[in-house]
Amino acid sequence: MTTSQPSRTDARTSVETVFRMESPRIIAGVTRVVQDVGIAEELAQDALVAALEQWPRDGVPDNPGAWLMATARHRAVDLVRRRENYARKLREIGRDLSVTAPPEEPADPEDIDDDLLRLVFTTCHPVLSAEARTALTLRLLGGLTTPEIARAFLVPEATVAQRIVRAKRTLATRNIAFEVPYGPDREARLGSVLDVIYLIFNEGYAATAGDDWLRPSLCEDALRLARVLSALMPKEPEVHGLTALLEFQAARTAARTGPRGEPVLLKDQNRSRWNRMLIARGIKALSRADATATGAPGPYVLQAAIAACHAHAYSYEETDWRAIATLYGLLAARAPSPVVELNRAVAVSMASGPEPALEIVDALTAEPALRDYHLLPSVRGDLLLRLGRTAEARAEFERAASLTRNERERELLLRRAAEAS
């Protein structure tokens, strides 16, 4: 059954919107059939093309996501049937792929029937480089485009494109199983899995491009995966740390945009709109991380502790910035990166004033990885403004606006530049 026939433009918009939301699940579901993530992605794209042809003519289905999944799976079954070894595979698996659900996994107390989670662990296989694992999973699970991934990595688009192509080829030629591994294999892939989930959440939390500041579906998928992973690996403090971090961050979502979808900075947010239930969940997850820790806290536990400081403050002025600056110092020692150092500078500016923070930021201007990173001039502009150096601040905000590809963020930065005049 379909809805009334929409205009061609409306139907195309519906197709693109639904596909953006559902493509990770479609790819994951089809991968179970064809056992090849590259082919699964192609079949998902075929389903998109079919929808672009049919929906403007026949109307948008009542359940468009299910329509796309069914179409992609049917094409997957047809592909498997055409393979020369289909008859042998059919006897081995003992089922008709076109009418029967995928077989249950072997009984295991820790087993989770979640194709998206299987997709994460498959694309985070150690046969791939760390960069390739993250890029491929963001592409397939997060639904990010190559330019968006390049932006998240702060690397050229051509580099990301090559990583994705090579990663899919490697998984296919090495016959990597579509599974959630157990034992040592699972632990070996955990770091990459956590990084991927975090990057997916970040893309939803502050979109790198487009007209919207937030992409809630990405945040929801990342948070759901983190929660599932916490249940799967209850003795891993970093898993609980990541889950706590995402719970705390997700709690702010409703307050992060204004009536017209414009970004609202942390200091201007109405904290009564923060989701106290998610904050409570974050506190609980962070407690689990502390209870399972056997050594120094890892990067995600430290970031969760920073987020907890914000969550516990009922106003911006009540925030314990000295504690946050100290935690960022620990994080910089545990997992050094230019972005962590930039965040530390912000905390230092609140704890000790803009002058020492500006010294930290100025030292980062020579970092190649931050050359086109819009938050560097944005932070520098804020510090200069607080020091009364308005002309320099305006130039920094304008530079930041020229670097971001998110329209909402560009509007905010240009407004700040105008206010600095």
Side-chain angles (χ1 to χ4, degrees):
M1 182 178 179
T2 60
T3 60
S4 58
Q5 191 175 47
S7 69
R8 181 170 294 274
T9 300
D10 289 344
R12 184 178 185 87
T13 300
S14 297
V15 173
E16 293 173 348
T17 299
V18 172
F19 186 78
R20 182 86 171 192
M21 295 169 58
E22 298 293 334
S23 62
R25 293 180 179 86
I26 296 169
I27 293 169
V30 173
T31 301
R32 293 196 74 177
V33 178
V34 298
Q35 297 294 306
D36 186 307
V37 294
I39 293 175
E41 185 182 20
E42 293 174 4
L43 292 171
Q45 291 289 337
D46 287 347
L48 171 63
V49 172
L52 290 170
E53 293 173 349
Q54 295 183 37
W55 292 10
R57 182 186 68 232
D58 302 334
V60 179
D62 288 338
N63 191 334
W67 189 99
L68 287 167
M69 176 67 84
T71 300
R73 284 180 62 85
H74 288 158
R75 290 170 186 255
V77 170
D78 290 340
L79 177 64
V80 172
R81 281 177 170 157
R82 290 196 300 268
R83 291 174 175 171
E84 293 182 355
N85 62 351
Y86 174 73
R88 176 180 59 79
K89 288 190 174 183
L90 185 60
R91 287 193 299 272
E92 290 176 355
I93 62 179
R95 64 186 175 91
D96 183 347
L97 292 171
S98 65
V99 299
T100 306
E104 295 182 356
E105 297 293 316
D108 186 286
E110 292 185 321
D111 184 51
I112 289 183
D113 185 18
D114 191 319
D115 283 343
L116 284 174
L117 194 59
R118 289 186 180 92
L119 184 59
V120 175
F121 272 97
T122 299
T123 56
C124 288
H125 196 281
V127 297
L128 304 177
S129 68
E131 295 82 4
R133 297 173 209 166
T134 308
L136 181 60
T137 308
L138 284 171
R139 170 72 176 174
L140 300 182
L141 185 88
L144 276 66
T145 63
T146 298
E148 288 170 341
I149 299 170
R151 190 71 172 177
F153 277 147
L154 305 177
V155 296
E157 292 179 20
T159 300
V160 172
Q162 290 175 354
R163 287 174 183 172
I164 292 172
V165 170
R166 291 171 182 168
K168 289 191 287 190
R169 185 185 303 128
T170 299
L171 291 176
T173 57
R174 298 288 290 272
N175 295 316
I176 301 303
F178 182 61
E179 64 181 5
V180 176
Y182 299 103
D185 287 344
R186 178 185 296 168
E187 294 181 9
R189 297 190 220 175
L190 181 59
S192 292
V193 171
L194 296 180
D195 290 346
V196 165
I197 293 174
Y198 187 42
L199 280 171
I200 291 171
F201 182 90
N202 279 344
E203 179 58 31
Y205 194 68
T208 57
D211 297 328
D212 297 321
W213 173 238
L214 301 178
R215 294 173 60 186
S217 62
L218 284 182
C219 291
E220 291 166 5
D221 275 343
L223 183 53
R224 185 181 65 82
L225 284 169
R227 290 170 178 168
V228 169
L229 206 58
S230 288
L232 183 67
M233 309 182 76
K235 297 181 180 180
E236 289 289 342
E238 276 291 85
V239 174
H240 296 305
L242 175 65
T243 303
L245 173 60
L246 301 195
E247 300 279 11
F248 287 133
Q249 298 291 75
R252 306 179 197 169
T253 299
R256 295 187 69 244
T257 54
R260 297 177 301 280
E262 69 276 13
V264 178
L265 297 175
L266 179 62
K267 66 183 179 65
D268 299 321
Q269 289 175 19
N270 179 357
R271 300 196 176 202
S272 67
R273 299 188 66 197
W274 285 10
N275 189 316
R276 307 313 300 185
M277 182 189 72
L278 291 180
I279 289 174
R281 293 185 67 130
I283 293 171
K284 188 174 182 179
L286 187 55
S287 295
R288 288 176 181 154
D290 292 337
T292 55
T294 57
Y300 287 112
V301 173
L302 288 169
Q303 290 180 77
I306 291 168
C309 289
H310 290 293
H312 285 302
Y314 284 93
S315 70
Y316 189 73
E317 292 71 25
E318 294 177 37
T319 306
D320 190 346
W321 287 106
R322 291 192 179 279
I324 292 175
T326 298
L327 287 167
Y328 266 121
L330 294 174
L331 180 60
R334 183 72 170 79
S337 82
V339 173
V340 169
E341 193 68 0
L342 182 62
N343 287 329
R344 186 175 76 85
V346 174
V348 168
S349 77
M350 299 305 300
S352 305
E355 289 187 7
L358 186 59
E359 293 181 9
I360 298 173
V361 172
D362 284 345
L364 292 172
T365 57
E367 284 285 346
L370 298 183
R371 183 181 59 186
D372 297 321
Y373 189 49
H374 70 284
L375 291 182
L376 177 61
S378 175
V379 169
R380 192 168 188 274
D382 183 71
L383 297 175
L384 290 168
L385 188 61
R386 289 168 58 187
L387 289 169
R389 296 160 61 177
T390 55
E392 295 172 84
R394 182 173 63 253
E396 290 295 305
F397 287 135
E398 289 173 348
R399 171 169 163 73
S402 72
L403 291 175
T404 184
R405 294 173 58 189
N406 184 280
E407 291 301 322
R408 296 293 189 177
E409 196 168 27
R410 180 179 292 112
E411 292 171 1
L412 172 64
L413 290 165
L414 289 175
R415 185 168 67 249
R416 297 204 70 192
E419 292 171 351
S421 299

